[in-house]
Amino acid sequence: MKRFFLLLLLGVTLQLNAQQKKAAILVTQFGTSFDEGRKASLDVLFNVIKAAYPEYEVREAFSSPRIRKALEKKGIHKDSAEEALLRLKLDGYENVIVQPTFLMDGVEMGLLREDVKKVASFFKEIKLGVPILNSVDDFKAMAEILKERQIQKNELVMYVGHGNELSSNAVYSMLGNMLRKDGQNHIFMGTIEGWPDLETSVNQLKGLKAKKVTLIPFLLASGVHAHEDIDGEWRPAIEKLGFEVEVHFHGLGENEKVQQLVLKHLNELF
């Protein structure tokens, strides 16, 4: 009789475990090969999400093949979104929420949609979240976050994002317009691979009465673009105008309020 109850208890436990394994969250990040930036921003953001949903299996994927390859050379493996989803299926998860940490609905978001579409038939339910800047309210919240930084006298601030050649690049102009509407005329938005580009951004600063320009990555993590582009190209180009230039090597993912924006979008999927 005792053996019977033990077997019954084991069967119930296995059944409960199987039920619990049916729900998972996949956090999809672009990634960075810079260890400091990854640990300070992406790892922190991932752990914040993991702590917020202890009842779910929370896993991570990096969307950039170049970054995944660079990390492999360091002995660090990161699944692509498609690989991570297939691994979840093999591990018995039937319901999955995919939450991106991309700033905008650009190239990476389009590729993620394709990855989800490829494997959607394997799951009972798979939901895909939206990027950080997805609605007017998101932009207003981000503008408030950027305005919180204390500005010194005779200082200008240039936030530098990645940018692209798609219509989604307009997010930088929208955010810039919101900041100017609120009287933040000392804050500028520039992009590395979109518009406003480096030349346009430098021209915006010409003739302005300030002594210092602070360059801040408008990127989730401080990685190659912060070090090689912003510090390597933008800083010397602006110094030629006679400004003292300082570069901040901190990603947006380090900001608790930006982390909450990601959680807000994730919460919307429940």
Side-chain angles (χ1 to χ4, degrees):
M1 183 65 69
K2 184 177 180 181
R3 176 180 171 81
F4 171 77
F5 282 113
L6 286 174
L7 289 173
L8 180 62
L9 178 61
L10 177 61
V12 172
T13 301
L14 290 173
Q15 184 177 10
L16 288 173
N17 286 340
Q19 291 175 349
Q20 289 172 352
K21 287 187 67 174
K22 291 182 180 180
I25 296 171
L26 178 62
V27 181
T28 304
Q29 317 212 61
F30 181 78
T32 178
S33 58
F34 275 69
D35 294 336
E36 290 184 7
R38 187 179 65 257
K39 292 175 182 177
S41 183
L42 305 187
D43 289 355
V44 170
L45 179 53
F46 174 72
N47 287 327
V48 165
I49 294 173
K50 197 171 183 178
Y53 294 91
E55 69 276 24
Y56 283 80
E57 172 71 8
V58 183
R59 297 186 185 178
E60 183 183 42
F62 276 15
S63 66
S64 170
R66 176 182 57 80
I67 289 172
R68 293 198 307 271
K69 185 176 180 180
L71 289 175
E72 286 287 354
K73 293 179 180 179
K74 297 181 178 183
I76 302 171
H77 176 77
K78 295 290 184 180
D79 280 339
S80 67
E82 184 178 4
E83 290 169 341
L85 287 168
L86 291 175
R87 199 181 301 279
L88 283 168
K89 175 61 181 179
L90 289 173
D91 289 344
Y93 294 94
E94 299 291 343
N95 299 282
V96 180
I97 291 175
V98 181
Q99 179 58 54
T101 65
F102 309 141
L103 279 171
M104 65 178 69
D105 196 338
V107 175
E108 296 301 318
M109 194 66 202
L111 293 174
L112 181 57
R113 288 193 183 96
E114 292 180 9
D115 285 341
V116 170
K117 186 177 180 180
K118 288 177 188 176
V119 302
S121 61
F122 300 152
F123 296 90
K124 285 186 177 179
E125 184 179 44
I126 184 167
K127 295 181 180 180
L128 177 59
V130 296
I132 295 174
L133 295 175
N134 186 67
S135 68
V136 173
D137 285 341
D138 294 336
F139 281 88
K140 288 180 178 179
M142 183 62 74
E144 290 300 318
I145 291 171
L146 300 187
K147 285 161 50 179
E148 287 180 354
R149 185 181 180 278
Q150 295 296 317
I151 304 297
Q152 302 174 11
K153 186 178 181 180
N154 293 319
E155 178 190 14
L156 303 174
V157 174
M158 175 75 73
Y159 285 96
V160 185
H162 186 281
N164 60 50
E165 296 182 356
L166 304 178
S167 59
S168 58
N169 190 82
V171 301
Y172 301 102
S173 296
M174 182 173 178
L175 191 55
N177 285 334
M178 281 189 172
L179 290 166
R180 283 191 291 276
K181 178 181 177 295
D182 292 339
Q184 307 297 313
N185 296 319
H186 54 281
I187 301 179
F188 298 83
M189 300 294 301
T191 69
I192 297 166
E193 297 183 12
W195 192 92
D197 56 13
L198 174 56
E199 181 181 359
T200 303
S201 298
V202 169
N203 287 335
Q204 287 181 316
L205 301 177
K206 286 181 178 178
L208 296 181
K209 295 181 179 180
K211 295 180 180 179
K212 178 181 179 180
V213 174
T214 301
L215 294 172
I216 303 177
F218 190 72
L219 305 163
L220 201 68
S222 176
V224 63
H225 288 302
H227 292 267
E228 296 183 7
D229 295 300
I230 298 175
D231 190 47
E233 296 183 15
W234 285 63
R235 180 181 56 76
I238 295 173
E239 284 177 337
K240 288 180 180 178
L241 298 179
F243 292 106
E244 173 193 347
V245 181
E246 179 182 356
V247 179
H248 280 204
F249 295 101
H250 296 282
L252 291 172
E254 299 177 39
N255 190 299
E256 291 183 4
K257 292 187 177 180
V258 174
Q259 296 166 9
Q260 290 304 312
L261 281 177
V262 178
L263 284 177
K264 176 178 76 75
H265 289 315
L266 184 51
N267 290 335
E268 291 166 354
L269 297 173
F270 290 91

